[in-house]
């Protein structure tokens, strides 16, 4: 612990930032790996109903994940500030309370989701042929997966908050690899296990996440000595809850705005055609490739900012901004250019449908030049959250989605101009990113 933690507040900024990003790269890849693994193995059953059940389950699982991630951000930022200020006892209280509260939140939301499961998926349009598969998968996920996902998300954020990004990356990747091993065993009934089908995918996820969470708790207690029972008094529990929620509520709100905005854009695209929806959703998966490295950099950025803020090292925060923003611009100008050039080749990997391909290629080539400002915008929200202004972070996200993207997309819809929806995305990215870049620069200069 002593070897890792001071790096964020003492070691050279550029080197520390990029080494942390590299250590988080496996974790970044693992973030979406659970669902991809489950979907792949379920698809091998050659039953469209089971695959459709996975499709309906994914948005709900992601919705819960956004809530857990937002709460974990609250724990991470408050812990990072305490740790940066060399308040180890306070950090221990925040870590212990954060894990307890995340578990309670997950149990509550899991039971709520289980109770309203039928109504939820009927509202989403699930038919009678698909509902049995949804019940099998989501019953297990609601009653077990929610809690293990919340603990895993909070635990990984805690490791990042104290500078142990390598541990966080290993934990995330280890859980994914275990899930990949367990999936075929439970789904197809290997190694003497009964064949569980889609329920086996949920069971594999719960066990993998659960074992990962147990290892994480063991590390926090026996290796880092962060878990403490002294926090379990009314005064300390109230203090830690208030401090965590100060950052958690805006983070949850900001994260939930993203799928809400995506839902609205999907509805707008559906007014043009189902093929437009299919093309853009498939192109979106290709788009994610461009953000893998910057996302890894961003995962280490927020705790680094918060630690330096807690330590009062404001000039280092200003340097962090310069290094991070330049890295985002350079990386995504390069990847955006490559995606623009090879858009057709990449699109053909995912589909050979000649009616969808032109839309995918057009979308990728229009939005690619704005990738750099998407990440600049995201990094700017990290600076405001890490420096104790989480509300402004949520407002910046709202500005991009509901200030620019949604209104401009509705304008394109009113003109019956599908390409205009893609130009709306580019315009929103450039405008929101430019405003965020200016505000982040102003923030760090004021701190100095």
């Amino acid at each position: 612990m002593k070897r890792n933690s001071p790096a964020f507040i003492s070691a050279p900024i550029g080197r520390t930032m990029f080494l942390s990003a590299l250590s988080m790269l496996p974790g970044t890849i693992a973030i979406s790996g659970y669902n991809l693994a489950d979907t792949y193995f379920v698809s091998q059953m050659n039953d469209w109903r089971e695959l459709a059940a996975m499709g309906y389950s994914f948005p709900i699982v992601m919705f819960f994940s956004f809530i857990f991630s937002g709460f974990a951000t609250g724990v991470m930022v408050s812990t990072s500030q305490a740790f940066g200020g060399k308040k180890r006892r306070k950090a221990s209280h925040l870590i212990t309370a954060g894990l307890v509260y995340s578990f309670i939140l997950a149990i509550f939301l899991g039971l709520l989701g289980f109770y309203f499961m039928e109504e939820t998926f009927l509202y989403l349009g699930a038919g009678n042929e698909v509902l049995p598969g949804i019940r099998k998968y989501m019953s297990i996920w609601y009653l077990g997966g929610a809690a293990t996902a919340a603990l895993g998300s909070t635990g990984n954020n805690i490791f990042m908050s104290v500078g142990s990004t390598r541990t966080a990356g290993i934990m995330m990747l280890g859980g994914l690899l275990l899930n990949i091993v367990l999936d075929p065993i439970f789904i197809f009934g290997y190694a003497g296990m009964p064949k569980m089908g889609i329920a086996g995918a949920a069971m594999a996820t719960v066990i993998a996440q659960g074992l990962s969470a147990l290892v994480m708790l063991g590390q926090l207690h026996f290796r880092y000595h962060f878990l403490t029972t002294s926090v379990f008094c009314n005064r300390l529990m109230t203090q830690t809850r208030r401090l965590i929620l100060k950052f958690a509520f805006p983070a949850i709100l900001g994260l939930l705005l993203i799928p809400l905005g995506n839902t609205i854009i999907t509805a707008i695209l559906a007014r043009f055609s189902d093929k437009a929806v299919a093309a853009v959703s498939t192109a979106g998966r290709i788009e994610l490739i461009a953000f893998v490295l910057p996302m890894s950099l961003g995962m280490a950025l927020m705790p680094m900012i918060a630690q330096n803020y807690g330590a009062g090292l404001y000039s280092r925060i200003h340097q962090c901004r310069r290094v991070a923003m330049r890295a985002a611009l350079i990386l995504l100008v390069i990847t955006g250019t490559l995606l623009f050039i090879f858009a057709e080749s990449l699109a053909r990997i995912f589909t050979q449908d000649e009616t969808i391909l032109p839309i995918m290629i057009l979308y990728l080539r229009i939005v690619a030049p704005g990738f750099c400002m998407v990440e600049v915008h995201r990094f700017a929200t990290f600076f405001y959250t890490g420096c104790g202004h989480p509300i402004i972070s949520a407002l910046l996200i709202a500005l991009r989605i509901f200030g620019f993207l949604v209104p401009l997309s509705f304008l394109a819809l009113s003109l019956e101009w599908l390409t205009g929806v893609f130009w709306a995305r580019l315009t929103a990215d450039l405008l929101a990113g430019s405003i965020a870049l200016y505000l982040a620069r102003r923030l760090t200069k004021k701190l100095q």
Side-chain angles (χ1 to χ4, degrees), residues 109-440:
L109 291 177
L111 290 174
L112 196 66
F114 182 81
Y115 185 79
F116 291 105
M117 179 166 44
E118 199 89 3
E119 294 87 345
T120 301
F121 288 99
L122 286 172
Y123 179 78
L124 289 175
N128 291 329
E129 288 184 286
V130 180
L131 276 173
I134 292 174
R135 290 192 199 100
K136 291 176 185 176
Y137 186 87
M138 290 306 297
S139 294
I140 294 172
W141 194 90
Y142 277 135
L143 298 178
T148 56
L151 283 175
S153 180
T154 304
N156 289 324
N157 276 268
I158 288 168
F159 283 124
M160 287 188 286
S161 72
V162 298
S164 293
T165 53
R166 184 180 178 185
T167 304
I170 290 171
M171 296 291 295
M172 294 164 77
L173 185 60
L176 170 62
L177 293 176
L178 180 59
N179 184 70
I180 291 171
V181 171
L182 293 177
D183 260 337
I185 293 174
F186 285 102
I187 293 172
F188 304 113
Y190 296 149
M193 295 298 296
K195 183 179 179 180
M196 297 177 66
I198 192 172
M203 185 64 70
T205 297
V206 172
I207 292 173
Q209 289 180 166
L211 289 176
S212 180
L214 283 175
V215 173
M216 172 267 298
L217 289 171
Q219 289 269 312
L220 288 174
H221 181 63
F222 295 108
R223 181 181 176 186
Y224 298 110
H225 308 292
F226 271 132
L227 302 186
T228 174
T229 57
S230 63
V231 72
F232 295 109
C233 71
N234 289 334
R235 179 178 61 83
L236 283 176
M237 288 297 282
T238 300
Q239 286 177 353
T240 53
R241 182 174 66 247
R242 286 175 179 169
L243 186 54
I244 291 169
L245 292 180
K246 171 188 173 182
F247 295 99
F249 271 136
I252 292 170
L253 177 62
L255 287 171
L256 292 181
L257 289 176
I258 297 171
L260 178 59
N262 290 340
T263 302
I264 295 171
I265 298 304
T266 300
I268 290 172
L269 290 168
R271 298 285 294 274
F272 289 96
S273 70
D274 289 338
K275 290 181 178 179
V277 175
V280 173
S281 64
T282 306
R285 291 180 174 86
I286 299 173
E287 186 181 339
L288 288 175
I289 299 169
F291 290 92
V292 170
L293 281 174
M295 280 178 65
S296 299
L297 183 63
M299 291 179 78
L301 183 59
M302 193 186 294
M304 189 173 188
I305 297 162
Q307 274 201 27
N308 281 283
Y309 185 80
L313 301 173
Y314 303 131
S315 62
R316 284 179 62 85
I317 296 175
H318 182 66
Q319 292 175 54
C320 281
R321 181 194 59 77
R322 294 175 63 186
V323 173
M325 295 300 190
R326 286 174 182 173
L329 287 168
I330 293 169
L331 285 171
L332 283 159
V333 164
I334 293 171
T335 53
T337 302
L338 291 172
L339 197 58
F340 182 92
I341 295 169
F342 297 106
E344 183 174 353
S345 301
L346 289 167
R348 288 189 180 278
I349 295 173
F350 286 82
T351 182
Q352 296 297 320
D353 190 324
E354 294 296 332
T355 60
I356 292 176
L357 270 171
I359 303 173
M360 287 181 65
I361 295 165
L362 183 64
Y363 170 84
L364 288 170
R365 284 183 170 157
I366 289 175
V367 304
F371 286 176
C372 56
M373 298 312 289
V374 172
E375 202 63 17
V376 163
H377 177 274
R378 194 168 76 96
F379 282 6
T381 66
F382 292 169
F383 277 92
Y384 272 98
T385 299
C387 293
H389 303 287
I391 296 293
I392 297 179
S393 295
L395 290 174
L396 282 172
I397 295 171
L399 175 69
R400 176 178 174 265
I401 296 174
F402 293 101
F404 297 127
L405 180 59
V406 170
L408 290 172
S409 297
F410 271 116
L411 177 61
L413 176 63
S414 69
L415 297 172
E416 298 182 355
W417 184 28
L418 175 59
T419 308
V421 179
F422 308 158
W423 285 109
R425 159 68 190 278
L426 176 63
T427 305
D429 291 345
L430 294 175
L431 288 175
S434 299
I435 292 169
L437 178 61
Y438 166 75
L439 291 175

